[in-house]
Amino acid sequence: MKILVCIKQVPDMESRFKPAADGLWFNEADLAWRINEYDEYAVEQAVKLKEQLGNEPEITVLSIGPDRVVEVLKKALAMGADRAVHVQDSAPQQKGPWQIASIIANYARDKGFDLILTGMQSQDRGSAQVGVLVAEFLGFACATTLVGFSYVDGVIHAKRELEGGLKGLVDLRLPALVTCQLGLNIPRYPTLPNIMRAKKKEIETLSVTSLLTEEPLAITTQFYAPARKEGGLVLEGDLNEMAQQLVDILQEKTSVVR
Amino acid sequence: MKALLVCEYREGKLLDTSYELIALADKLGVDKAAVLIGSEEAVPKMDGTVYLADAAVCGEYNPAAHKAVILAAVAKENPDYLIFCHSSYGWDLAPRVAAALKAGQITEVVGIVDGGFEVGCCNAKMRRVVKPTSAKVVLTIQAGAFAAAPAQGAPRIEPIEVTVDGQGLTFTGYEPAEAKTIDLTRAEVIVSAGRGVGKKDNIPLIAALAKALGGELGASRPVVDAGWVEHSLQVGTTGQTVAPKLYVACGISGAIQHLAGMKKSDFVVAINKDKDAPIGEVADVLVVADVVQFAPILTAALQK
């Protein structure tokens, strides 16, 4: 079995975001980068499946971006992926989901992947399109937002998270692509021996221009912080004073505190 | 200009969110038609044409069949916009339709602005305006972003039949939500714990504050995923949608899914270290503080 896991590097979401000079995305200065949380579940699920199948499957992990994305590829290798593909692109944020999906599909086509895993969305752009588009481009069966995954006798039994705690149960035949929701599994921490072992694994570098065939179908024209609630009050300073202020406000504005 | 609205149907019923699609179409000032894979009893009350395929034949979840139904309706209406709810149904289906039409998709729209559509990004901390460059445009809209249009009118129903093939995918059924030990939707006061409480050992501090306010403990998704509190206490689109008289968000940054589950609360207090956290968008009072330090002090002040 050949498995592909598509991962994205995103800024720590606790960061304070400031618009870049072009006003179309955030300024990357001073940001800490990490693996997109949803994609970490995808890597873990691939490694679990490899373990279940007696180590037979080969896991390739792919990321698109500048040199810094090699860090998330190394993390995935240390978690248990076998090899990595770095699609070198200095400005992936300027490409729409349609283009990103086409790059991945152009890479994956004719390579014989049986299963592709990725996150249901990225934490920074949140378009929730790339996984499904890749499946459509490749003609793979696809289910999104998995909170349950098992593989028995060549069939994936997936549990999709719906609204209000309801789940949808779906069986998928290979080749298939699934997108992972938070809480699907418990991603492992790479151990030191595995981090050392990962250093010997192959990271192939490809140029994005060799894989990009599509024009964008939508473009970003502005990027900014949302307005705070009108009339919303911000309290800062001494904790005791703020507590008393808040009690007074609750007594005045709500019927639940007297 | 014309919009095709993709209504949602689950367990034999039309979902009310379908009326939010009508609201967006009206806001865009375009003609509208709708498509429903459901049943005749569940057709939305609206003017115009509703293309109806039978869910008993197509299945409630069969993306290949649903895509085929929508494309058949597109062939008849030639719409400029295709509008879906940004839900487990919409985000799963919309890109498949967009791929077939080579249409640009704009995800989780929260507003219409000059020259494009406003969407959230960076975990709801920031916003973008996205402008389509394709002939047809697929939109998914954030739950609650557009107040539902009134259910009125009598549509002309036009049946659609398609050949059903799951293309490698079979829906086998639903797993019901876990039984709720506490019905948060009835609580007058909810005090919810988020990732900012730091660790499971700090949950009692938030529970004590909830008790001092005469309310119930709630939680955001990461806290539930981490196993700090049980799932039935989760507030948000994948947990319970609540509207208490007072909602206190403790160390909750305000992911879109959480905001959608609590923003109809009468009065919202947020306690957060990060002054820029998106919870500030819905907070009547934002207390900039570490909730682990502030919660016990507030509890004591309330008990005075």
Side-chain angles (χ1 to χ4, degrees), chain A residues 15-16 124 144 160 224, chain B residues 88 92 118 122 125 127 276:
Chain A
S15 312
R16 179 170 291 193
D124 56 356
T144 57
R160 296 189 64 223
Y224 51 90
Chain B
S88 62
D92 189 90
E118 189 179 32
C122 299
K125 278 189 160 182
R127 293 275 168 87
D276 298 322

Side-chain angles (χ1 to χ4, degrees), chain A residues 188-201:
Chain A
R188 68 195 65 195
Y189 290 104
T191 60
L192 191 58
N194 284 341
I195 292 170
M196 299 313 289
R197 223 165 280 147
K199 288 185 195 295
K200 295 199 187 82
K201 293 178 180 173

Side-chain angles (χ1 to χ4, degrees), chain A residues 188-236:
Chain A
R188 68 195 65 195
Y189 290 104
T191 60
L192 191 58
N194 284 341
I195 292 170
M196 299 313 289
R197 223 165 280 147
K199 288 185 195 295
K200 295 199 187 82
K201 293 178 180 173
E202 179 200 359
I203 300 180
E204 181 186 4
T205 304
L206 299 172
S207 137
V208 72
T209 48
S210 64
L211 296 167
L212 181 66
T213 51
E214 297 289 322
E215 293 292 319
L217 299 180
I219 52 169
T220 303
T221 59
Q222 292 177 56
F223 177 84
Y224 51 90
R228 211 182 288 287
K229 182 167 184 172
E230 221 165 294
L233 185 68
V234 178
L235 301 181
E236 286 180 278

